[in-house]
Protein backbone atom coordinates (compact mmCIF):
# COMPACT_ATOMS: atom_id res chain seq x y z
CA UNK A 1 0.00 0.00 0.00
CA UNK A 2 1.16 3.58 -0.59
CA UNK A 3 2.79 5.45 2.28
CA UNK A 4 -0.25 7.77 2.45
CA UNK A 5 -2.40 4.91 3.72
CA UNK A 6 -2.34 3.56 7.25
CA UNK A 7 -2.79 -0.02 8.44
CA UNK A 8 -5.74 -0.21 10.83
CA UNK A 9 -5.51 -3.92 11.55
CA UNK A 10 -4.54 -7.21 10.02
CA UNK A 11 -7.37 -9.32 8.63
CA UNK A 12 -6.89 -12.02 11.27
CA UNK A 13 -7.31 -9.40 14.03
CA UNK A 14 -10.87 -8.59 12.95
CA UNK A 15 -13.31 -11.29 14.05
CA UNK A 16 -16.02 -12.28 11.59
CA UNK A 17 -19.03 -10.08 12.29
CA UNK A 18 -17.06 -8.17 14.94
CA UNK A 19 -15.16 -4.92 15.47
CA UNK A 20 -11.62 -3.79 16.03
CA UNK A 21 -10.67 -0.45 17.56
CA UNK A 22 -7.74 1.62 16.23
CA UNK A 23 -5.89 4.80 17.05
CA UNK A 24 -3.77 6.75 14.58
CA UNK A 25 -1.49 9.56 15.57
CA UNK A 26 -0.50 10.83 18.98
CA UNK A 27 -0.92 13.82 21.19
CA UNK A 28 -4.22 15.27 22.32
CA UNK A 29 -6.14 14.61 19.09
CA UNK A 30 -5.31 11.23 17.57
CA UNK A 31 -7.83 9.69 15.19
CA UNK A 32 -9.79 7.12 17.18
CA UNK A 33 -12.01 4.79 15.25
CA UNK A 34 -13.05 1.22 14.63
CA UNK A 35 -13.53 -1.18 11.76
CA UNK A 36 -16.52 -3.46 11.60
CA UNK A 37 -16.81 -6.73 9.70
CA UNK A 38 -19.90 -7.20 7.53
CA UNK A 39 -21.19 -10.14 5.53
CA UNK A 40 -19.24 -11.45 2.54
CA UNK A 41 -15.92 -10.05 3.78
CA UNK A 42 -16.92 -6.39 3.54
CA UNK A 43 -15.65 -3.94 6.14
CA UNK A 44 -16.55 -0.40 7.16
CA UNK A 45 -14.68 2.08 9.36
CA UNK A 46 -16.08 4.86 11.51
CA UNK A 47 -14.79 7.55 13.84
CA UNK A 48 -15.35 6.41 17.44
CA UNK A 49 -17.71 9.24 18.30
CA UNK A 50 -21.47 9.09 18.86
CA UNK A 51 -23.56 11.31 16.59
CA UNK A 52 -25.44 12.53 19.68
CA UNK A 53 -22.88 14.16 22.02
CA UNK A 54 -19.59 13.08 20.42
CA UNK A 55 -18.68 10.66 23.24
CA UNK A 56 -16.79 7.45 22.42
CA UNK A 57 -19.22 4.67 21.51
CA UNK A 58 -17.59 1.98 23.64
CA UNK A 59 -16.57 1.45 27.26
CA UNK A 60 -14.52 -1.71 26.69
CA UNK A 61 -11.89 -2.25 23.99
CA UNK A 62 -13.34 -3.49 20.68
CA UNK A 63 -16.92 -3.61 22.12
CA UNK A 64 -19.17 -1.67 19.73
CA UNK A 65 -21.97 -4.08 18.91
CA UNK A 66 -25.37 -4.91 20.32
CA UNK A 67 -25.85 -8.29 22.02
CA UNK A 68 -27.12 -9.86 18.78
CA UNK A 69 -24.13 -8.28 16.92
CA UNK A 70 -26.41 -6.80 14.26
CA UNK A 71 -26.07 -3.12 15.21
CA UNK A 72 -23.46 -0.67 16.46
CA UNK A 73 -24.52 0.64 19.87
CA UNK A 74 -23.50 3.68 21.90
CA UNK A 75 -22.69 2.45 25.41
CA UNK A 76 -23.47 5.91 26.84
CA UNK A 77 -26.93 6.59 25.36
CA UNK A 78 -28.03 3.30 23.80
CA UNK A 79 -28.31 4.76 20.29
CA UNK A 80 -28.33 2.08 17.58
CA UNK A 81 -26.53 2.48 14.25
CA UNK A 82 -26.60 0.32 11.14
CA UNK A 83 -23.30 -1.46 10.59
CA UNK A 84 -23.22 -0.94 6.82
CA UNK A 85 -24.13 2.78 6.76
CA UNK A 86 -23.57 4.20 10.26
CA UNK A 87 -27.13 5.61 10.23
CA UNK A 88 -28.77 5.98 13.65
CA UNK A 89 -32.06 4.06 13.63
CA UNK A 90 -32.93 4.38 17.35
CA UNK A 91 -31.98 6.72 20.16
CA UNK A 92 -31.35 10.42 20.73
CA UNK A 93 -29.60 10.99 17.39
CA UNK A 94 -32.21 9.29 15.17
CA UNK A 95 -31.52 9.99 11.50
CA UNK A 96 -27.95 11.19 12.02
CA UNK A 97 -24.91 9.13 11.07
CA UNK A 98 -21.51 8.14 12.35
CA UNK A 99 -18.58 9.64 10.47
CA UNK A 100 -17.49 7.05 7.90
CA UNK A 101 -13.84 6.58 6.97
CA UNK A 102 -12.59 5.21 3.63
CA UNK A 103 -10.97 1.78 3.83
CA UNK A 104 -9.24 -0.59 1.48
CA UNK A 105 -8.78 -4.29 2.09
CA UNK A 106 -5.66 -6.10 0.91
CA UNK A 107 -4.00 -9.40 1.72
CA UNK A 108 -1.97 -7.57 4.39
CA UNK A 109 -4.95 -6.06 6.18
CA UNK A 110 -7.40 -3.20 6.39
CA UNK A 111 -6.10 0.23 5.44
CA UNK A 112 -7.35 3.76 5.98
CA UNK A 113 -6.85 5.94 2.93
CA UNK A 114 -6.00 9.63 3.31
Amino acid sequence: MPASEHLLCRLEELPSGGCREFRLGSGEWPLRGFVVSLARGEVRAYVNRCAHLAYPLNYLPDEFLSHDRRMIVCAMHGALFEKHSGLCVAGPCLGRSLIALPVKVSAEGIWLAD
Side-chain angles (χ1 to χ4, degrees), residues 37-51:
S37 170
L38 306 176
R40 298 177 301 279
E42 294 180 74
V43 296
R44 298 286 189 275
Y46 299 102
V47 173
N48 185 7
R49 188 169 41 214
C50 183

Side-chain angles (χ1 to χ4, degrees), residues 44-110:
R44 298 286 189 275
Y46 299 102
V47 173
N48 185 7
R49 188 169 41 214
C50 183
H52 178 221
L53 292 176
Y55 290 124
L57 292 162
N58 63 324
Y59 284 135
L60 300 172
D62 303 322
E63 295 294 327
F64 294 90
L65 300 179
S66 58
H67 291 291
D68 63 6
R69 303 180 66 75
R70 294 177 55 202
M71 306 292 283
I72 299 166
V73 64
C74 175
M76 178 72 73
H77 305 105
L80 295 174
F81 301 88
E82 294 178 338
K83 288 168 67 172
H84 69 278
S85 68
L87 177 68
C88 181
V89 295
C93 50
L94 184 64
R96 294 170 57 193
S97 294
L98 299 174
I99 299 170
L101 299 168
V103 293
K104 293 182 182 181
V105 178
S106 74
E108 295 83 26
I110 302 164

